[in-house]
Short mmCIF file of all heavy atoms in Angstrom, two decimals:
data_model
loop_
_atom_site.label_atom_id
_atom_site.label_comp_id
_atom_site.label_asym_id
_atom_site.label_seq_id
_atom_site.Cartn_x
_atom_site.Cartn_y
_atom_site.Cartn_z
N VAL A 26 8.78 -12.72 24.52
CA VAL A 26 8.24 -11.37 24.36
C VAL A 26 6.76 -11.43 23.97
O VAL A 26 5.95 -10.61 24.40
CB VAL A 26 9.06 -10.57 23.32
CG1 VAL A 26 8.57 -9.13 23.23
CG2 VAL A 26 10.54 -10.59 23.66
N SER A 29 4.85 -11.98 27.06
CA SER A 29 4.86 -10.74 27.83
C SER A 29 3.84 -9.75 27.26
O SER A 29 3.08 -9.11 28.00
CB SER A 29 6.27 -10.14 27.79
OG SER A 29 6.34 -8.96 28.55
N LEU A 30 3.80 -9.66 25.93
CA LEU A 30 2.84 -8.77 25.25
C LEU A 30 1.41 -9.19 25.57
O LEU A 30 0.54 -8.35 25.86
CB LEU A 30 3.09 -8.80 23.74
CG LEU A 30 2.12 -8.03 22.84
CD1 LEU A 30 2.19 -6.52 23.11
CD2 LEU A 30 2.40 -8.28 21.36
N ALA A 33 0.48 -8.24 29.03
CA ALA A 33 0.27 -6.78 29.11
C ALA A 33 -1.07 -6.40 28.50
O ALA A 33 -1.79 -5.55 29.04
CB ALA A 33 1.41 -6.07 28.40
N ILE A 89 -1.19 -2.06 17.76
CA ILE A 89 0.10 -2.53 18.27
C ILE A 89 0.93 -3.01 17.07
O ILE A 89 0.43 -3.74 16.22
CB ILE A 89 -0.09 -3.70 19.25
CG1 ILE A 89 -0.98 -3.26 20.43
CG2 ILE A 89 1.25 -4.25 19.75
CD1 ILE A 89 -1.58 -4.42 21.22
N VAL A 90 2.18 -2.57 17.02
CA VAL A 90 3.07 -3.03 15.94
C VAL A 90 4.20 -3.86 16.54
O VAL A 90 4.83 -3.44 17.51
CB VAL A 90 3.64 -1.83 15.14
CG1 VAL A 90 4.67 -2.30 14.13
CG2 VAL A 90 2.51 -1.08 14.43
N VAL A 91 4.41 -5.04 15.97
CA VAL A 91 5.56 -5.85 16.37
C VAL A 91 6.50 -5.94 15.18
O VAL A 91 6.08 -6.15 14.05
CB VAL A 91 5.13 -7.25 16.85
CG1 VAL A 91 4.32 -7.15 18.12
CG2 VAL A 91 4.34 -8.00 15.79
N SER A 92 7.80 -5.74 15.45
CA SER A 92 8.72 -5.58 14.33
C SER A 92 10.13 -5.90 14.79
O SER A 92 10.51 -5.59 15.92
CB SER A 92 8.61 -4.11 13.87
OG SER A 92 9.41 -3.87 12.74
N SER A 97 12.18 -2.64 11.45
CA SER A 97 11.74 -1.33 11.93
C SER A 97 12.80 -0.24 11.78
O SER A 97 12.48 0.93 11.72
CB SER A 97 11.29 -1.41 13.39
OG SER A 97 12.36 -1.81 14.21
N PHE A 105 9.59 4.68 10.95
CA PHE A 105 9.84 4.70 12.41
C PHE A 105 9.97 6.15 12.91
O PHE A 105 9.25 6.56 13.83
CB PHE A 105 11.13 3.91 12.71
CG PHE A 105 11.51 3.85 14.16
CD1 PHE A 105 11.09 2.80 14.96
CD2 PHE A 105 12.30 4.84 14.73
CE1 PHE A 105 11.45 2.75 16.30
CE2 PHE A 105 12.65 4.80 16.07
CZ PHE A 105 12.23 3.75 16.86
N ILE A 115 0.15 4.62 18.81
CA ILE A 115 0.47 3.24 18.41
C ILE A 115 1.58 2.77 19.36
O ILE A 115 2.43 3.57 19.76
CB ILE A 115 0.98 3.19 16.94
CG1 ILE A 115 -0.14 3.56 15.96
CG2 ILE A 115 1.57 1.82 16.60
CD1 ILE A 115 0.33 3.75 14.52
N THR A 116 1.54 1.49 19.72
CA THR A 116 2.61 0.93 20.54
C THR A 116 3.49 0.05 19.65
O THR A 116 3.00 -0.88 19.02
CB THR A 116 2.04 0.08 21.69
OG1 THR A 116 1.17 0.92 22.47
CG2 THR A 116 3.15 -0.46 22.58
N LEU A 117 4.77 0.38 19.60
CA LEU A 117 5.71 -0.40 18.80
C LEU A 117 6.61 -1.22 19.73
O LEU A 117 7.27 -0.65 20.60
CB LEU A 117 6.57 0.53 17.93
CG LEU A 117 7.80 -0.11 17.26
CD1 LEU A 117 7.39 -1.12 16.19
CD2 LEU A 117 8.72 0.96 16.64
N VAL A 118 6.60 -2.53 19.55
CA VAL A 118 7.53 -3.38 20.29
C VAL A 118 8.60 -3.85 19.29
O VAL A 118 8.29 -4.51 18.30
CB VAL A 118 6.81 -4.60 20.90
CG1 VAL A 118 7.80 -5.45 21.70
CG2 VAL A 118 5.66 -4.15 21.81
N VAL A 119 9.84 -3.42 19.55
CA VAL A 119 10.95 -3.81 18.67
C VAL A 119 11.58 -5.09 19.22
O VAL A 119 12.15 -5.09 20.31
CB VAL A 119 12.01 -2.69 18.56
CG1 VAL A 119 13.11 -3.12 17.60
CG2 VAL A 119 11.38 -1.38 18.11
N PHE A 120 11.43 -6.16 18.47
CA PHE A 120 12.03 -7.45 18.84
C PHE A 120 13.48 -7.40 18.35
O PHE A 120 13.79 -7.80 17.24
CB PHE A 120 11.27 -8.61 18.18
CG PHE A 120 9.90 -8.85 18.76
CD1 PHE A 120 8.92 -7.86 18.79
CD2 PHE A 120 9.56 -10.10 19.27
CE1 PHE A 120 7.66 -8.09 19.32
CE2 PHE A 120 8.30 -10.34 19.80
CZ PHE A 120 7.35 -9.34 19.84
N ASN A 121 14.34 -6.87 19.21
CA ASN A 121 15.68 -6.46 18.79
C ASN A 121 16.73 -7.52 19.11
O ASN A 121 17.35 -7.49 20.16
CB ASN A 121 16.00 -5.13 19.47
CG ASN A 121 17.25 -4.48 18.93
OD1 ASN A 121 18.02 -5.10 18.20
ND2 ASN A 121 17.48 -3.24 19.30
N VAL A 156 18.18 2.50 19.67
CA VAL A 156 16.76 2.68 19.35
C VAL A 156 16.12 3.74 20.24
O VAL A 156 15.33 4.57 19.78
CB VAL A 156 16.00 1.34 19.52
CG1 VAL A 156 14.53 1.52 19.16
CG2 VAL A 156 16.63 0.27 18.65
N THR A 157 16.48 3.74 21.51
CA THR A 157 15.81 4.67 22.44
C THR A 157 16.17 6.12 22.12
O THR A 157 15.33 7.00 22.23
CB THR A 157 16.18 4.35 23.90
OG1 THR A 157 17.59 4.46 24.05
CG2 THR A 157 15.73 2.96 24.29
N ALA A 160 14.24 7.15 18.97
CA ALA A 160 12.82 7.30 19.27
C ALA A 160 12.56 8.61 20.01
O ALA A 160 11.66 9.38 19.64
CB ALA A 160 12.33 6.11 20.09
N ALA A 165 8.95 10.44 19.99
CA ALA A 165 8.10 9.47 20.70
C ALA A 165 7.91 9.95 22.13
O ALA A 165 8.82 10.54 22.72
CB ALA A 165 8.74 8.08 20.68
N PHE A 167 6.72 7.89 24.75
CA PHE A 167 7.05 6.86 25.74
C PHE A 167 8.12 5.96 25.14
O PHE A 167 7.92 5.38 24.06
CB PHE A 167 5.82 6.02 26.13
CG PHE A 167 6.14 4.95 27.14
CD1 PHE A 167 6.07 5.22 28.50
CD2 PHE A 167 6.55 3.68 26.74
CE1 PHE A 167 6.39 4.24 29.44
CE2 PHE A 167 6.89 2.70 27.67
CZ PHE A 167 6.80 2.97 29.03
N VAL A 168 9.26 5.88 25.80
CA VAL A 168 10.36 5.07 25.28
C VAL A 168 10.95 4.25 26.43
O VAL A 168 11.31 4.81 27.47
CB VAL A 168 11.48 5.96 24.66
CG1 VAL A 168 12.61 5.08 24.12
CG2 VAL A 168 10.94 6.86 23.56
N ALA A 169 11.00 2.95 26.23
CA ALA A 169 11.57 2.08 27.26
C ALA A 169 12.40 0.98 26.62
O ALA A 169 12.24 0.69 25.43
CB ALA A 169 10.46 1.46 28.10
N ARG A 170 13.31 0.41 27.42
CA ARG A 170 14.04 -0.76 26.94
C ARG A 170 14.02 -1.85 28.01
O ARG A 170 14.26 -1.56 29.19
CB ARG A 170 15.48 -0.45 26.58
CG ARG A 170 16.21 -1.71 26.05
CD ARG A 170 17.70 -1.51 25.79
NE ARG A 170 17.95 -0.69 24.61
CZ ARG A 170 18.59 0.46 24.63
NH1 ARG A 170 19.04 0.94 25.76
NH2 ARG A 170 18.78 1.12 23.51
N GLY A 171 13.68 -3.05 27.58
CA GLY A 171 13.75 -4.20 28.46
C GLY A 171 14.53 -5.30 27.77
O GLY A 171 15.09 -5.09 26.69
N THR A 172 14.58 -6.46 28.38
CA THR A 172 15.25 -7.60 27.74
C THR A 172 14.36 -8.83 27.86
O THR A 172 13.41 -8.85 28.64
CB THR A 172 16.61 -7.94 28.40
OG1 THR A 172 16.38 -8.74 29.56
CG2 THR A 172 17.40 -6.69 28.76
N GLN A 178 9.84 -7.08 34.43
CA GLN A 178 10.10 -5.68 34.07
C GLN A 178 9.55 -5.39 32.66
O GLN A 178 8.92 -4.36 32.43
CB GLN A 178 11.61 -5.47 34.11
CG GLN A 178 12.08 -4.06 33.87
CD GLN A 178 13.59 -4.05 33.62
OE1 GLN A 178 14.13 -4.85 32.83
NE2 GLN A 178 14.27 -3.15 34.31
N LEU A 179 9.76 -6.34 31.75
CA LEU A 179 9.27 -6.16 30.38
C LEU A 179 7.74 -6.07 30.35
O LEU A 179 7.18 -5.23 29.64
CB LEU A 179 9.75 -7.34 29.51
CG LEU A 179 9.40 -7.25 28.02
CD1 LEU A 179 10.05 -6.03 27.39
CD2 LEU A 179 9.86 -8.52 27.29
N ASP A 180 7.08 -6.93 31.14
CA ASP A 180 5.61 -6.86 31.24
C ASP A 180 5.17 -5.43 31.59
O ASP A 180 4.24 -4.89 31.00
CB ASP A 180 5.09 -7.80 32.34
CG ASP A 180 5.15 -9.27 31.94
OD1 ASP A 180 5.86 -9.58 30.97
OD2 ASP A 180 4.48 -10.08 32.60
N THR A 181 5.86 -4.87 32.57
CA THR A 181 5.51 -3.52 33.03
C THR A 181 5.70 -2.49 31.91
O THR A 181 4.83 -1.65 31.68
CB THR A 181 6.40 -3.13 34.23
OG1 THR A 181 6.29 -4.16 35.21
CG2 THR A 181 5.96 -1.80 34.83
N TYR A 182 6.83 -2.58 31.24
CA TYR A 182 7.12 -1.59 30.19
C TYR A 182 6.11 -1.68 29.05
O TYR A 182 5.61 -0.67 28.55
CB TYR A 182 8.54 -1.76 29.63
CG TYR A 182 9.64 -1.49 30.63
CD1 TYR A 182 10.94 -1.94 30.40
CD2 TYR A 182 9.39 -0.76 31.79
CE1 TYR A 182 11.96 -1.69 31.30
CE2 TYR A 182 10.41 -0.51 32.71
CZ TYR A 182 11.68 -0.98 32.46
OH TYR A 182 12.68 -0.73 33.35
N ILE A 183 5.81 -2.90 28.63
CA ILE A 183 4.86 -3.05 27.52
C ILE A 183 3.48 -2.56 27.95
O ILE A 183 2.81 -1.84 27.22
CB ILE A 183 4.80 -4.50 26.99
CG1 ILE A 183 6.17 -4.91 26.41
CG2 ILE A 183 3.72 -4.64 25.92
CD1 ILE A 183 6.24 -6.34 25.90
N HIS A 184 3.08 -2.92 29.16
CA HIS A 184 1.77 -2.46 29.65
C HIS A 184 1.71 -0.94 29.70
O HIS A 184 0.74 -0.33 29.27
CB HIS A 184 1.46 -3.07 31.02
CG HIS A 184 0.16 -2.59 31.57
ND1 HIS A 184 0.06 -1.78 32.69
CD2 HIS A 184 -1.11 -2.76 31.12
CE1 HIS A 184 -1.21 -1.49 32.91
NE2 HIS A 184 -1.95 -2.07 31.98
N LYS A 185 2.76 -0.34 30.23
CA LYS A 185 2.79 1.14 30.29
C LYS A 185 2.72 1.72 28.88
O LYS A 185 2.06 2.74 28.65
CB LYS A 185 4.07 1.63 30.98
CG LYS A 185 3.97 1.67 32.49
CD LYS A 185 5.32 2.10 33.07
CE LYS A 185 5.29 2.17 34.59
NZ LYS A 185 4.73 3.43 35.12
N GLY A 186 3.43 1.09 27.96
CA GLY A 186 3.42 1.55 26.57
C GLY A 186 2.02 1.47 25.97
O GLY A 186 1.57 2.37 25.26
N LEU A 187 1.32 0.37 26.24
CA LEU A 187 -0.04 0.20 25.71
C LEU A 187 -0.98 1.27 26.28
O LEU A 187 -1.79 1.84 25.56
CB LEU A 187 -0.58 -1.19 26.06
CG LEU A 187 0.11 -2.39 25.41
CD1 LEU A 187 -0.45 -3.70 25.99
CD2 LEU A 187 -0.06 -2.39 23.89
N GLU A 188 -0.85 1.52 27.56
CA GLU A 188 -1.75 2.49 28.22
C GLU A 188 -1.39 3.94 27.89
O GLU A 188 -2.19 4.83 28.08
CB GLU A 188 -1.72 2.30 29.74
CG GLU A 188 -2.26 0.95 30.21
CD GLU A 188 -3.78 0.86 30.23
OE1 GLU A 188 -4.44 1.79 29.70
OE2 GLU A 188 -4.31 -0.14 30.76
N HIS A 189 -0.17 4.15 27.42
CA HIS A 189 0.29 5.51 27.13
C HIS A 189 -0.45 6.09 25.93
O HIS A 189 -0.60 5.44 24.90
CB HIS A 189 1.80 5.51 26.85
CG HIS A 189 2.35 6.86 26.50
ND1 HIS A 189 2.60 7.81 27.45
CD2 HIS A 189 2.66 7.42 25.31
CE1 HIS A 189 3.05 8.91 26.85
NE2 HIS A 189 3.11 8.69 25.55
N GLY A 191 -0.23 8.20 22.91
CA GLY A 191 0.84 8.75 22.09
C GLY A 191 1.68 7.61 21.54
O GLY A 191 1.37 6.44 21.77
N PHE A 192 2.74 7.96 20.82
CA PHE A 192 3.56 6.89 20.23
C PHE A 192 4.52 6.33 21.28
O PHE A 192 5.30 7.07 21.87
CB PHE A 192 4.35 7.42 19.04
CG PHE A 192 4.97 6.32 18.21
CD1 PHE A 192 4.17 5.44 17.50
CD2 PHE A 192 6.35 6.14 18.16
CE1 PHE A 192 4.72 4.41 16.75
CE2 PHE A 192 6.91 5.12 17.41
CZ PHE A 192 6.09 4.26 16.70
N SER A 193 4.44 5.04 21.51
CA SER A 193 5.31 4.42 22.50
C SER A 193 6.19 3.35 21.84
O SER A 193 5.73 2.60 20.97
CB SER A 193 4.50 3.84 23.65
OG SER A 193 3.41 3.09 23.18
N VAL A 194 7.43 3.33 22.25
CA VAL A 194 8.41 2.38 21.71
C VAL A 194 8.98 1.57 22.85
O VAL A 194 9.48 2.14 23.83
CB VAL A 194 9.56 3.12 20.99
CG1 VAL A 194 10.57 2.12 20.43
CG2 VAL A 194 9.04 4.02 19.88
N ILE A 195 8.88 0.25 22.76
CA ILE A 195 9.54 -0.62 23.73
C ILE A 195 10.57 -1.43 22.96
O ILE A 195 10.24 -2.27 22.13
CB ILE A 195 8.55 -1.54 24.47
CG1 ILE A 195 7.54 -0.72 25.26
CG2 ILE A 195 9.29 -2.45 25.43
CD1 ILE A 195 6.23 -0.51 24.59
N ASP A 196 11.83 -1.10 23.21
CA ASP A 196 12.94 -1.81 22.57
C ASP A 196 13.29 -3.01 23.45
O ASP A 196 13.61 -2.83 24.62
CB ASP A 196 14.13 -0.83 22.44
CG ASP A 196 15.35 -1.49 21.81
OD1 ASP A 196 15.17 -2.34 20.92
OD2 ASP A 196 16.48 -1.14 22.22
N VAL A 197 13.20 -4.20 22.89
CA VAL A 197 13.46 -5.40 23.68
C VAL A 197 14.74 -6.07 23.19
O VAL A 197 14.79 -6.56 22.06
CB VAL A 197 12.28 -6.39 23.59
CG1 VAL A 197 12.49 -7.53 24.59
CG2 VAL A 197 10.95 -5.69 23.84
N THR A 198 15.76 -6.06 24.02
CA THR A 198 17.00 -6.74 23.67
C THR A 198 16.77 -8.25 23.78
O THR A 198 16.30 -8.75 24.80
CB THR A 198 18.14 -6.32 24.62
OG1 THR A 198 18.32 -4.91 24.50
CG2 THR A 198 19.43 -7.04 24.25
N GLU A 199 17.04 -8.92 22.69
CA GLU A 199 16.79 -10.35 22.60
C GLU A 199 18.00 -11.04 22.01
O GLU A 199 18.99 -10.40 21.67
CB GLU A 199 15.64 -10.59 21.62
CG GLU A 199 14.27 -10.41 22.15
CD GLU A 199 13.31 -10.99 21.13
OE1 GLU A 199 13.52 -12.14 20.70
OE2 GLU A 199 12.39 -10.27 20.74
N GLY A 248 15.18 0.39 31.20
CA GLY A 248 14.37 1.33 31.98
C GLY A 248 13.47 2.15 31.09
O GLY A 248 13.37 1.90 29.88
N ILE A 249 12.82 3.13 31.70
CA ILE A 249 11.95 4.04 30.95
C ILE A 249 12.77 5.30 30.67
O ILE A 249 13.20 5.99 31.60
CB ILE A 249 10.66 4.35 31.73
CG1 ILE A 249 9.85 3.06 31.87
CG2 ILE A 249 9.85 5.43 31.01
CD1 ILE A 249 8.66 3.16 32.79
N PHE A 250 13.01 5.56 29.41
CA PHE A 250 13.88 6.66 29.00
C PHE A 250 13.11 7.97 28.87
O PHE A 250 13.69 9.04 28.97
CB PHE A 250 14.56 6.33 27.66
CG PHE A 250 15.58 5.24 27.78
CD1 PHE A 250 15.20 3.92 28.00
CD2 PHE A 250 16.93 5.54 27.68
CE1 PHE A 250 16.15 2.92 28.12
CE2 PHE A 250 17.88 4.53 27.80
CZ PHE A 250 17.49 3.22 28.03
#
Side-chain angles (χ1 to χ4, degrees):
Chain A
V26 185
S29 182
L30 175 65
I89 301 163
V90 174
V91 294
S92 183
S97 62
F105 180 92
I115 293 171
T116 302
L117 167 68
V118 181
V119 182
F120 289 58
N121 190 348
V156 181
T157 59
F167 180 89
V168 181
R170 181 185 288 120
T172 82
Q178 184 193 48
L179 184 62
D180 286 16
T181 306
Y182 295 163
I183 296 178
H184 178 247
K185 275 177 180 277
L187 293 173
E188 295 282 10
H189 178 78
F192 193 67
S193 47
V194 180
I195 298 98
D196 179 35
V197 189
T198 300
E199 278 193 50
I249 295 171
F250 290 71

